[in-house]
Amino acid sequence: MAEADRTKAFSDGVFAIVITLLVLELRVPEYHEGGLLAGLRHEGPSYLAFVVSFAYIGVIWLNHHALLRLVRGTTLALSWINLAILFGAVIIPFPTAVLASAFSEGDTADQRVAVALYALAAALMSAPWLAFFGYLHRHPALRASEVDAAHVRAQRVRPVTGLVLYGLSGLLGWFVHPVVGLVGIIVMIAYHAVTSEGLRAGPLGRLRPGRRG
């Protein structure tokens, strides 16, 4: 069983690079004399996509930080699962660029595709989190001393919620309206922000957001 410090350091480095790469999609608009404001307005979707994805990567980092506090060591299998989580993070700049392009230059059909792609990427990102909690539940020796099986089991709700509701957001964006799907994605990002410290079992077995100790 290896120490978790190297995993934490490597993961933080990956998140730092990804969140920096997002800014590369921002550009000064082309404009003629007196047309800068119109040019900036035209690039508005790119700026919005950047803000949404910056917040999203930030929320993922906060959740990942809380995730690694649950472990006191790693194994090869757990390291591979962590790499899968990081893979989900590093692809986010691509659907971000597609989303910005579709809302700047495309029609409604393009926007439907872009929102569905972003939602799909977000939904697939939830899968390795579910695997991480499942593995940690089955290997108690890896858990930090203050973390019990009930707490780990409770955390499975969050990635399952992500798989379902990000997927639903993609369907809404495709079949209803792209903006509706985008709003659903933003709501899910907010949900993961609120629950970044994890869920804990409350009275009568209800789950509620955890608090920083």
Side-chain angles (χ1 to χ4, degrees), residues 191-205:
Y191 164 77
H192 285 299
V194 171
T195 62
S196 62
E197 288 297 312
L199 296 171
R200 60 191 178 91
L204 303 180

Side-chain angles (χ1 to χ4, degrees), residues 70-88:
L70 301 179
V71 303
R72 60 181 173 185
T74 61
T75 62
L76 180 61
L78 200 63
S79 294
W80 275 109
I81 296 172
N82 185 66
L83 284 174
I85 291 174
L86 297 179
F87 176 81

